[in-house]
Structure formats: C-alpha cells, structure tokens
Amino acid sequence: MWLDLFLTTLEGNMFIAYDLKNGVEYAKLLTTHRNGPETMKDYENLGRVLDKEAGIYQNRKRGVFTYNLETNTYGKPPTSFLLPSKHLAREKLILDFGDIFLLNTFIEGSGLVAAIKGINYGNPDTLFAMICYYILCTFSNCHANDWWEGSYARILFPKANLTSQRISEFLLNIGEEEALRGFFYRYLPIVGATKGGTNILINSTGLPNNIHFPLTAISNHKGEISNEVRLIYVSHLETGLSISFRYCPGNVVDVSTLVRTVRELQSCGIKKKLAVLDAGYYSDENILALYNERISFVT
C-alpha cells in the first residue's frame, strides 16, 4: 500500500479541468506532483471542447484530435465525426463569386452607379451591398451580414456594415425625401436617354392586404374578389429597368389610370416612343390619348 502511494505521488495525478469563456467550453490537462513539501501543478492546453463524452478537442497545435485520460494518449477522431458548424473557421478565401460579380458588372455597365450614389448615403459600401443582397437573396435582413461574409461582396464592398441595427438606420436614411430626389434626378435621364424616345411597358398588379387604411379597397379582377392596393409600374422595354411606379386604391380599375401615368412620365422628361399595354388599358379615351401624344402602342 505504501509503495502504491509512493508511485502515485511520484508520477503525479492527472485530470481534465474545464472552463467557459464567452459561452465556449475549453479544456486543459492538469497534472499535480509533489516536490518535497510542495504540490506542483503543470498545465497542458487541450483547447476547445468539441465532444466531451468522446474526448474530442481542437487547438492550434494539434488541430482536431482525441485524448484518452486513462491511457494518456492522443489520437484522431473517428471518420463519422462532423465538426459543428459553429466551430468552423470564418471563410477567407472561399467565396460565392459568380452572381455578385455579374450583378455588379451590370450595375457598372448600365450607368446606374451615378444614380445610386445620388442617394448620398454616408457609407456607399453598405448601400451597394444591400442593393445586391435584396436582388440576389430572399432572406430577411438578419442574414445580410452572413451573406456578405461568404460572398465576393466582401471584396467589392469591404467597408459595408450589415449588422441589424445599421440596416435599420440605413433603410430609414434612404427613405428620406432628399435621398429619393437625389436618386431619381440622376436615374430618369439614364432610362429616358434613348434616341427618338423610350419604349415602355405599362402594367399593374394587386397587393392583397387587410390593413385598415384608405388605400385598401375591394377589387374584382377577372372575377377574383380581394382586398388590395393597386400598384402601377412602368418599365423600360429593352432593359427591364423600372421607370415609374405608384400606388392607388385597390378598387381603381386599370383603364382609368393610363392617361395620368402618361402625363406623369411627361412631367419627368421621359419621351415615349412605343407603349406595350395589356387588354385592361383598352378604351376609346386611352387610344385617343395615345394618338394625340404620338405614342405608338401594342395592346
């Protein structure tokens, strides 16, 4: 018995100690031994705990490994072990490339950069990154920063700040009247610069809702009854870029909106060459209005 005690004291006691840092569990190998009357402690860092029951850890020196306290041996984790996603290192070189590169090339080639900068937002990288995010993704705003970190957008717009709080401030800022005027002042000449006039597409759609405000009204569209707001939009026929959009009560029929839409385009300096309309805009009054404005049309 005395010999066993002597050997234990001589060789030391080993156990694993755990602690939490910022919600992450870490482990260290603690060895105690006697040095005369003093008890000495030696530490060895095992690193982050990946699977406590299986004894799987991760540190910079060994990577992902196993440690067996009973045999004091290190090994490799089983092939069936999957590294938890929250422990994966942040991607630095592997980025989604094609979609954002294509979209950014289109924005630059179409002359839209000047119009977007007309919004005069304080952080242009955030502005351009959010535009691309809304076009390419259908996720909510809380995922914008995750998208940015794994996309080539991080290289194109390195100063973008897409945290939730900053996005809320961003949306509030670009919704100001001054920002809208700054954009459209530069945007309308771009989409209306076609020599001889612009070919346009006019259409409308219903936005179903039950919100209690003046724009919600009962609509009867092709026999379908719904509560909705009506959205009327004008697009550039060749490029598909939006030229104009406005909303009206849901009970307003398409045929009654054409003349006002044409006059609004005139007030914005958009010269119209050809208009493509669906059957809902056909009436004697509208046809005469298009003839008087010398606008060719297909309906």
Side-chain angles (χ1 to χ4, degrees), residues 189-211:
I190 295 174
V191 294
T194 307
K195 186 176 180 180
T198 303
N199 297 334
I200 61 175
L201 170 68
I202 302 177
N203 206 343
S204 65
T205 188
L207 305 177
N209 72 87
N210 287 306
I211 301 172

Side-chain angles (χ1 to χ4, degrees), residues 42-61:
D42 296 325
Y43 298 92
E44 181 179 349
N45 179 37
L46 294 177
R48 181 176 294 177
V49 179
L50 300 183
D51 189 326
K52 182 181 289 188
E53 294 182 358
I56 302 177
Y57 310 91
Q58 181 184 29
N59 62 30
R60 293 183 179 181
K61 179 180 178 180

Side-chain angles (χ1 to χ4, degrees), residues 4-249:
D4 291 340
L5 178 62
F6 174 78
L7 290 175
T8 302
T9 304
L10 181 65
E11 295 178 1
N13 295 318
M14 300 176 61
F15 58 92
I16 298 176
Y18 301 89
D19 55 30
L20 284 174
K21 295 180 181 179
N22 298 322
V24 179
E25 189 173 28
Y26 294 86
K28 55 188 175 183
L29 182 63
L30 177 61
T31 304
T32 62
H33 59 88
R34 301 284 296 179
N35 184 11
E38 298 182 359
T39 300
M40 307 298 294
K41 298 180 179 179
D42 296 325
Y43 298 92
E44 181 179 349
N45 179 37
L46 294 177
R48 181 176 294 177
V49 179
L50 300 183
D51 189 326
K52 182 181 289 188
E53 294 182 358
I56 302 177
Y57 310 91
Q58 181 184 29
N59 62 30
R60 293 183 179 181
K61 179 180 178 180
R62 298 178 181 272
V64 179
F65 62 95
T66 62
Y67 175 75
N68 189 313
L69 181 62
E70 294 180 359
T71 60
N72 190 26
T73 56
Y74 296 87
K76 295 182 179 181
T79 56
S80 59
F81 175 75
L82 296 177
L83 189 65
S85 59
K86 65 179 181 180
H87 298 309
L88 292 175
R90 175 182 173 182
E91 292 181 353
K92 295 183 178 180
L93 299 177
I94 303 175
L95 302 173
D96 290 337
F97 176 78
D99 54 356
I100 182 66
F101 178 79
L102 176 62
L103 178 58
N104 185 67
T105 301
F106 168 77
I107 292 175
E108 292 180 345
S110 62
L112 293 175
V113 172
I116 295 173
K117 287 184 177 179
I119 297 175
N120 198 30
Y121 184 66
N123 186 335
D125 281 7
T126 297
L127 174 61
F128 280 90
M130 285 302 300
I131 290 173
C132 294
Y133 176 69
Y134 283 140
I135 293 175
L136 297 174
C137 298
T138 58
F139 306 125
S140 60
N141 288 338
C142 65
H143 299 294
N145 196 63
D146 294 333
W147 165 83
W148 176 81
E149 288 188 346
S151 167
Y152 186 63
R154 181 152 58 91
I155 306 300
L156 292 173
F157 316 117
K159 297 181 180 179
N161 188 341
L162 304 188
T163 58
S164 296
Q165 182 178 359
R166 297 288 84 81
I167 291 177
S168 298
E169 295 172 355
F170 158 77
L171 293 175
L172 182 64
N173 186 284
I174 67 172
E176 296 290 339
E177 180 71 16
E178 183 178 356
L180 296 175
R181 289 180 177 271
F183 171 78
F184 283 106
Y185 179 79
R186 294 165 177 81
Y187 177 75
L188 290 177
I190 295 174
V191 294
T194 307
K195 186 176 180 180
T198 303
N199 297 334
I200 61 175
L201 170 68
I202 302 177
N203 206 343
S204 65
T205 188
L207 305 177
N209 72 87
N210 287 306
I211 301 172
H212 296 290
F213 75 140
L215 294 173
T216 300
I218 298 176
S219 169
N220 183 353
H221 187 67
K222 296 181 180 180
E224 295 184 7
I225 309 299
S226 64
N227 290 331
E228 64 180 37
V229 173
R230 206 77 188 151
L231 176 66
I232 302 167
Y233 55 92
V234 182
S235 299
H236 194 280
L237 196 58
E238 282 82 8
T239 64
L241 292 174
S242 297
I243 296 177
S244 171
F245 50 89
R246 64 184 175 90
Y247 51 81
C248 60

